[in-house]
Amino acid sequence: GTQYLLVFIITLLTTIPHPMRLTLLFTSISALIHASAAYGPIVVANEEFSESTGITCSSKVSVDCTFPDANGDLRSCIAEETNGPFLQIKKSDCVNYGVNGIIETTITMKMCNENTEQDFIFRPRDGTYFKIATEDYFDGFLETDENGVVYSLAPANAVNGEWPPIFPGECKTMVQKYKFDVCNKPNKLPFGVQMQGNMNTALTESRNQYYGQSYCYAYVNRKNVVRRFPDDIEENPNALASPAPLVVEKNSNVNNCGTKLSMTCEFEFNGKLYSCIHEEEEDARPVLVSMQGECANNNFMATITLQMCNEHSSDIVPFFEDNRLRPLFNFDGQLLDEKDIQDGNRYNTVMEPDNATRCKTITISREIDACRRKVPMAIRIYGKTPDENGVICRSYMYREILMEKIVIPPPILPTSSPTKAPSGPSTTRPTNPPKTPDEGLTSAPSTSPTSEFCDFENVIITEVADPDISPGGWRYRYTELRFLECAGKFITDDIKFVRWPLNGTPLSTDLQGIRVPNDGFIILCAHMQRFSNLFGAGKCDIEADGNIDSGTANNPGSDTVAVVLGTPSDTTEDSDIIDIFVPEVFTDGRAVRKKPSTRSDEFIPSQWIVYPGDNGKNTVPPSGMDPRVWLKPIIITEIVDPDVNNGNADVSYENVPRFIEMYVPNEELHGEVIEDDLKLVLIHGSDTEPTFNPHVVLKGVDVPEDGLIVVCNDAAKSKYQQLCDKVNSSLFDDRQGNFGCDRAAIVHGDESSYTIVDTYGPLGTSCGATHDFTDARAFRLTNATFPEPTWEFYHWKIVRGASPDICDPHVWTDNIPATNCNLVITEVASPSGSVDGRFLELYSDNCAGKTIGDDFELVHYDDDGNLLNNPLDLEGFTIGDDGFLLLCVKEEANVIYGPNTCDRVVGPNTPADNQGVETIALLERRKVGDPVIIDIFGFKPSDDTSNFSGGKAIRDPSATLPSNVWKPEDWLIIPGKDGEGVLTVDDMDPREWNEFPLVIVITELADPLDNKLNRFIELYSPNKRNYEIVDDLVLVRYEGTSGVPMGTPYINLKGMVINPQGFLVLCVDGSTWSNNQCTSKAPPTEFVGTTTGMMKIAILAANVPRADAEIIDIFGVPGSTGSNHNFSDGRAVRVRLSEKPRAVFVRDDWIIIPGSGSGTVSSGLFDPNAWIDCELFGCAADPSPTPPSPPTPTPPSAPSKGSPSAPSKGKSPKSSPGKMRRRRAHLR
């Protein structure tokens, strides 16, 4: 069959030298060209999913077209290429199709409600249609099926204002027979389906309220082209080209200003010269025809000469000074360099008649890519004569080098292929998607400017801008329109661009008669000169009556704008809207439409990204504006400079696995190729401009299915293997140790002209600023999926001390890998008279300089033990390089204690804002069960041992392990519960955790009635355990009326060890007390306490007794013979709540028995090594037992983590395992 002949020809061609190859190709093509129509049916379907609050909409439309060939087999009249031909034939062969070239097509169109839940009823609105658009039936709206049964979603069939609904699982199908002439114009058979409306039962109750939340849209359209070739095409692939030389000229006399434009374009093929343009602009004949797949071998060199001339008389001289009015020569979308203009002319030089400057001429040579379909060229004169009443001189000329490729036909299907039209379309998504707005940035729309049909209403608003610039910022405002067809055509429809100022009458700019530039954009700017100075000449097309009070482009960020058909009304409701934008305020920013989007006569907020807008987006400076560019953006999601040397300087930076991760928010691009001219660049140090040497080209990159693109250096490639999509070591390694101080950006364009699409880090800031990621990884929060040309710090987290193992290329999540940090509370401060000076200090011995990845949370309780609001989620907080995490209440603390003292300012009413009476607990949240207490300060409401009002609480440095119960003995409380003395901010020591002085007091003196050898003196330290005394301390006694301590006996306490319970008990040798109860035993003659109960005992700061030594603590009044301290035959016990040492005896601190001679105490009632203040032998609590566990805290209302956020079309942006999107409120 034909397919075997084709294989033979292609195989043969590969063995033949190039000059002969094309000739042989076309001598064989006559046997194939008639077979170009693919066997039918081909179903073209377009499925569109939209998602909004609680409402999911799924709709689908499809088209199919078949016709029978001479054998009765069905062929498809839909091309496999979206804009390609379904039939390629020689002119003489066309009559062999159908009856004398008239084929009978069966067109099947379908729209379906794909939802299955019974409440999801699709309710169509204006714009829902089946359509066949042809020359003789141009409106193309179908209201009956092939049997004459009326079916329409048109308003005429509305019942009580409601159009017929489409119920869940239901499809509406339209089948039409249409006779099509393949021998004559028109050369296309376009048809399409559009499904537009809302899907929600609530619409029956409140249409307007829910319109934006349930909007459904699906659209498919095919042009279905027939291409006819001359009969001699096989002998002459240039049969449609005109012979050279051919000069194409255009004479113009606009405003009596005579001009002449001319073009020549010539190329040689097989020894003959051909013209690569045609005489008439509307002539769409190709100048070269190639077999697809062979076109690359047929590239040719073309010589192009472009000329413009002044045809004025000598008394009127056109003068071109202003850049916006200057002439231009343009080839393939690029302005030709004026240095190539002959005779030394420039674009802005005077063109005088009748001398050497009358004409400007430029000649260039270019290689033409034969695989392209069109290569455009243009000449423009647009200027004003210099006299006082100067007139506008203008003329424009446009031509295209048009080339054609003959599509290789598909294999012949088995004879069992269907012989009649199918009943409906297939449910399989086609390989080639339906027509959408153009995929490129600046290339012309797919419709040729010379097409027979041009829908000027196929226009959308793509950008409305109010750049953040001063002074005179209004002069830089602009609006961008995109014509999805009609590039290079003059607008013939009565179309206007309209702005409705707040509380004002509408302003309009008439677009009729304006030529749509070749890139399809029309820019309306408020001030041509200022706009051109900022963004470049030629970027603005229309100065829209610009002044500070009026002008359609002068939008202050608050006005509705629309493209309108006909004359606008005072309200949008009464205007014939083609497309509309109704803003949330974008002052000092921009509103940019997502690509792809479709025009709508009702505003669809989900199609727009508005800056500043919501989600914390910033204002946008000019560097973030992109007039004449509409792209599918890419955002930076992670930038990594990991710590490979435990915080020390990296020895060899090329061994550090560095990478930058990016994400494509538009899920339709996942699995596709990036077509926009995007580049990844770095901005070094404090620079404000990116460095393009080196850079990473993103255009042409295949986007992985998860939408993530990772660029690595060689070390990262070695570490992460297939997770690296591109490798460019120079980008990273050339920066050595400075990479962590750089900024990264995705830009559109090149060094000469670029726009910042997205960026990490603020421009023009030095290292050490908020963006510094040295030895760290910075990742974007997953709810910030929009591009940010101005960086927003609060949309990012920086994980300090991140090792390569916790970095996660190709995973985008808000989760920070667990760091297993050890954390303890070390200090709580509430200085007297300074709320601003309050802080909470924690310490980690294993996470210095790292970002916490553990699920830690700080909570606090009031006096009554009630859980308070405003807990602190510590995940993502970075511990200082010194191991401390200091949480301050106010920014003023960095003034009080010094710059950068605080790691985080967490605000009032948080656990850091402690008046001295609140309990603080460090919790760890678990996946299952209640949070677990890791460490706690205080225990409410059981006692008052943690009250530090007007002071501070410091943890004993020896108590390094966290405790889930309150241990007062681990803390030094100043001023303490007795309230004596206060501390100011000058007494605070944030970020220091030093050994605090030994506190030791006398707690009991024993003189038992029954056995004087059982006398003992008990000392206690509230802040030391298992501690060897290193200070010079002596225990002395005073006797009688002497105010001087006795020289002997005394006991030197230095070197003695305080036991695990905090006691040091001094006993008499021979006592019945065990060694576990006594720290030491001394002979009676050497024991300080071997005297009557009238003795006075003191601890002195000295190595021997001295009268001038400082008294640390004392029982009794030296020199006094009074009885208020007499404990003869009994005991003296310090009141349990009096732990503070006394240099002066306070009687109320003691319980003395027998006191004034009443009662005695025998040995069996004493308790060395325990502090029980017994009065009448009723005992208070012992300090040494473990206090009861605090209540299990109720999990507080922590910042929401949310559920994984789904993108707008209902699927996760990360399809690979482990990709989870968690939303967390970010603490500022």
Side-chain angles (χ1 to χ4, degrees), residues 380-439:
R380 182 186 71 185
I381 286 182
Y382 196 144
K384 181 182 289 187
T385 57
D387 53 292
E388 183 177 354
N389 299 314
V391 297
I392 296 295
C393 293
R394 68 170 181 265
S395 185
Y396 181 82
M397 187 176 185
Y398 175 88
R399 288 292 186 276
E400 293 172 339
I401 303 174
L402 184 62
M403 292 157 289
E404 188 62 84
K405 296 177 291 295
I406 296 181
V407 178
I408 298 175
I412 302 298
L413 295 180
T415 56
S416 59
S417 59
T419 57
K420 62 179 181 179
S423 59
S426 164
T427 58
T428 304
R429 182 183 289 272
T431 302
N432 297 306
K435 172 190 169 186
T436 58
D438 63 296
E439 298 298 325

Side-chain angles (χ1 to χ4, degrees), residues 779 797 813-819 823 851-858 872-878 885 904 925 1201 1222 1224-1227:
F779 66 88
K797 283 186 178 180
T813 173
D814 289 348
N815 293 334
I816 302 174
T819 44
L823 270 182
T851 300
I852 299 173
D854 308 300
D855 218 353
F856 288 144
E857 184 176 49
L858 280 170
L872 292 176
D873 181 1
L874 298 186
E875 184 180 0
F877 282 32
T878 299
L885 176 61
R904 282 289 184 100
R925 293 184 292 243
K1201 292 191 173 190
R1222 301 176 62 200
R1224 180 188 302 283
H1226 195 79
L1227 293 169

Side-chain angles (χ1 to χ4, degrees), residues 1000-1007 1016-1019 1034-1040 1042-1043 1045 1088-1089 1091-1100 1110-1135 1138 1140-1156 1171:
I1000 190 166
V1001 295
I1002 304 166
T1003 52
E1004 186 171 1
L1005 302 169
D1007 183 31
F1016 65 85
I1017 300 174
E1018 180 187 81
L1019 310 179
V1034 291
L1035 186 69
V1036 300
R1037 75 183 183 202
Y1038 300 82
E1039 289 190 352
S1042 174
V1088 175
T1091 182
T1092 67
M1094 290 295 291
M1095 63 181 173
K1096 285 81 72 176
I1097 300 295
I1099 302 173
L1100 303 182
E1110 177 188 359
I1111 297 174
I1112 301 300
D1113 192 46
I1114 192 167
F1115 172 82
V1117 180
S1120 170
T1121 58
S1123 61
N1124 67 341
H1125 57 268
N1126 183 0
F1127 62 95
S1128 298
D1129 297 331
R1131 68 193 298 198
V1133 180
R1134 196 183 196 106
V1135 174
S1138 177
K1140 186 175 182 179
R1142 303 283 192 181
V1144 177
F1145 178 63
V1146 177
R1147 176 61 180 82
D1148 291 341
D1149 286 349
W1150 292 86
I1151 301 170
I1152 300 176
I1153 300 172
S1156 300
W1171 187 2

Side-chain angles (χ1 to χ4, degrees), residues 37 65-70 73 75-78 86-87 89 93-107 176-184 188-189 191 224-226:
C65 178
T66 59
F67 69 96
D69 64 12
D73 294 326
R75 298 276 187 175
S76 174
C77 39
I78 299 179
F86 77 89
L87 192 61
I89 55 178
D93 285 342
C94 67
V95 294
N96 297 325
Y97 287 82
V99 179
N100 293 323
I102 307 297
I103 62 173
E104 185 174 85
T105 64
T106 301
I107 302 171
Q176 292 283 321
K177 299 287 188 180
Y178 188 84
K179 292 183 178 180
F180 181 61
D181 186 351
V182 300
C183 291
N184 297 292
K188 65 183 70 173
L189 174 60
F191 47 76
N224 314 309
V225 176
V226 173

Side-chain angles (χ1 to χ4, degrees), residues 112-166:
C112 300
N113 182 348
E114 294 284 280
N115 287 281
T116 57
E117 299 182 27
Q118 63 178 0
D119 292 335
F120 287 88
I121 301 172
F122 174 75
R123 300 184 182 277
R125 61 177 179 177
D126 189 19
T128 297
Y129 59 74
F130 298 115
K131 181 178 288 189
I132 299 178
T134 62
E135 188 176 58
D136 59 336
Y137 189 38
F138 189 76
D139 63 0
F141 200 90
L142 307 178
E143 296 190 359
T144 63
D145 65 12
E146 60 178 331
N147 299 315
V149 177
V150 175
Y151 174 70
S152 174
L153 302 179
N157 293 321
V159 179
N160 297 326
E162 292 289 336
W163 297 346
I166 303 178

